[in-house]
Amino acid sequence: MTDDHLSNTEPEAAFQERVDNEIKIEPKDWMPEGYRRNLIRQISQHAHSEVIGMQPEGNWITRAPTLKRKMILLAKVQDEAGHGLYLYSAAETLGVTREDMIGALHEGHAKYASIFNYPTLTWADVGVIGWLVDSAAIVNQISLQRTSYGPYSRAMIRICKEESFHQRQGFEILMPLASGSLEQKAMAQDAMNRWWWPTLMMFGPHDSESVHGAKSMQWKIKRKSNDELRQDFIDQTVPQAEYLGLAIPDPDLKWNEERGHYDFGEIDWDEFRTVVSGNGLCNRERLERHSRAHREGEWVREAMRACEEKKRTA
Ligand code: 3HC
């Protein structure tokens, strides 16, 4: 039975009324199968993104310029692991297992955010990721705090509390670089040039190309569309870049008084499709690293299962 056919049934109408009245949907509530599947897709991919996202920044933990920066970066990367665990737990309330989700990732059936398939070439990249990528994540996740599914909404509320630290520590890395020596300024600007457009791609295709957008908005899984979120991010980030003295690599970027927003250039959707389809600069490396860590961690899961079994049979 397709989702559309269900749209005239009693339960579906009652479900939509709950969503329209801002009543959170909880795991034990009736929900359309399409709603459940869409949530498993989005929440599990969100969780994969958090965990894979540990790799680019983790690459610099041993090379942070000071002990203080190393400790801050360690804390930030550790937070991302925790975000992944909250989100996997939220997805599990929909009847999917952790093994299913990890298996889907390793077999290439599940995605993670394209942004994490770019290399972190200099220390300035760590600053730009914290500042730009976490800002973009915050714009999206603040909106998702109002998602209709209770466990996802509560996970977002908790995660957003930590994201502002992530964004601030990135901005703080960039401040001395952007006002430092010519080499430091050049390093910060180079990172800005390489990360600006991939960050805009985090918000997904244009609304007109979005596969899930319409249904996700009707069911209030998403509260703002891809293009709305992207525009919010650009509008709030341009003044910050100006404060840092970093140029945004978009000759078409300019304030549009009539719209009350910044106009900006066209995203390279060929690059987006290349990265999302697994052929970006670091896709293979990221997945191999994740699979290897998963294999090497099997003994921990085995020990946990043995403990559970022992408790169960005691
Ligand atoms: N990277 C990879 N895949 C992407 C993508 C991106 N930037 N943007 C879209 N896609 C995929 C979608 O997953 C979908 O593929 P699927 O059907 O196989 O899942 C397809 O492209 C079509 O896109 P849609 O617009 O139809 O998909 P959505 O409605 O799901 O919108 C989204 C995409 C805006 C990313 C939405 O899924 C979302 O808001 N997800 C939750 C937030 C999230 O996952 N953020 C990722 C970053 S997490 C992060 O940054 C952590 C921080 O702490 C650093």
Side-chain angles (χ1 to χ4, degrees):
M1 199 185 281
T2 63
D3 300 338
D4 294 343
H5 173 79
L6 268 174
S7 55
N8 305 321
T9 64
E10 193 50 38
E12 172 82 6
F15 168 83
Q16 190 62 50
E17 193 183 345
R18 284 187 67 137
V19 166
D20 295 345
N21 292 331
E22 301 292 342
I23 299 168
K24 287 285 182 252
I25 305 300
E26 296 300 335
K28 290 198 170 34
D29 294 332
W30 184 89
M31 62 184 82
E33 180 54 16
Y35 178 82
R36 192 182 74 86
R37 278 202 311 271
N38 193 347
L39 277 172
I40 289 174
R41 176 195 63 85
Q42 176 162 328
I43 301 173
S44 64
Q45 293 182 160
H46 195 161
H48 296 331
S49 303
E50 299 278 5
V51 173
I52 296 257
M54 295 165 71
Q55 290 187 36
E57 289 168 308
N59 181 25
W60 278 87
I61 287 174
T62 55
R63 296 183 283 169
T66 66
L67 182 60
K68 179 185 163 219
R69 295 287 5 151
K70 182 200 284 274
M71 285 161 54
I72 292 172
L73 185 57
L74 261 173
K76 196 248 187 215
V77 171
Q78 191 176 333
D79 277 353
E80 307 297 10
H83 295 175
L85 297 182
Y86 298 151
L87 289 162
Y88 283 128
S89 303
E92 284 166 341
T93 64
L94 291 154
V96 64
T97 68
R98 190 73 55 98
E99 289 69 25
D100 294 340
M101 293 185 270
I102 302 296
L105 174 68
H106 290 168
E107 288 142 29
H109 306 313
K111 295 183 170 70
Y112 58 90
S114 50
I115 189 73
F116 298 123
N117 290 307
Y118 291 81
T120 43
L121 304 179
T122 72
W123 176 248
D125 287 43
V126 179
V128 169
I129 288 175
W131 168 47
L132 283 188
V133 174
D134 283 80
S135 285
I138 290 171
V139 166
N140 191 343
Q141 291 171 160
I142 282 179
S143 168
L144 285 170
Q145 287 183 126
R146 295 187 302 117
T147 188
S148 57
Y149 187 57
Y152 195 21
S153 164
R154 291 187 288 273
M156 282 293 94
I157 290 166
R158 179 144 183 198
I159 285 173
C160 283
K161 288 185 177 26
E162 293 172 343
E163 289 292 5
S164 43
F165 146 60
H166 296 177
Q167 193 259 7
R168 287 287 324 148
Q169 65 85 39
F171 197 81
E172 262 193 14
I173 289 175
L174 287 176
M175 294 243 282
L177 297 179
S179 56
S181 67
L182 289 179
E183 293 79 8
Q184 287 175 320
K185 280 188 209 294
M187 183 167 67
Q189 185 59 58
D190 165 59
M192 179 73 172
N193 295 344
R194 284 184 287 108
W195 288 91
W196 174 255
W197 290 102
T199 303
L200 299 191
M201 296 175 196
M202 283 175 71
F203 296 98
H206 281 309
D207 296 349
S208 53
E209 306 294 314
S210 177
V211 172
H212 306 283
K215 213 64 186 161
S216 293
M217 294 293 279
Q218 178 200 327
W219 282 331
K220 297 191 180 178
I221 291 174
K222 292 165 87 170
R223 302 308 301 259
K224 282 190 166 184
S225 74
N226 297 357
D227 286 328
E228 284 173 326
L229 290 168
R230 194 177 357 254
Q231 186 69 68
D232 289 351
F233 166 73
I234 292 170
D235 290 349
Q236 77 174 35
T237 306
V238 172
Q240 294 172 18
E242 284 166 357
Y243 178 82
L244 282 170
L246 292 178
I248 291 179
D250 177 1
D252 297 323
L253 185 80
K254 64 180 172 306
W255 180 253
N256 182 321
E257 196 53 44
E258 206 181 306
R259 281 196 331 120
H261 295 290
Y262 282 93
D263 291 338
F264 55 97
E266 192 51 23
I267 289 168
D268 180 345
W269 295 111
D270 288 339
E271 178 181 330
F272 173 77
R273 278 184 286 274
T274 300
V275 178
V276 170
S277 58
N279 301 306
L281 291 171
C282 298
N283 294 60
R284 231 175 306 287
E285 176 191 332
R286 299 287 186 245
L287 270 185
E288 275 165 13
R289 186 103 178 261
H290 189 283
S291 304
R292 192 172 70 243
H294 191 69
R295 283 194 306 275
E296 289 167 0
E298 177 53 28
W299 67 274
V300 176
R301 291 188 294 276
E302 218 171 286
M304 295 293 287
R305 283 192 291 267
C307 285
E308 291 304 312
E309 184 56 20
K310 197 154 177 254
K311 265 192 271 176
R312 207 177 56 76
T313 51

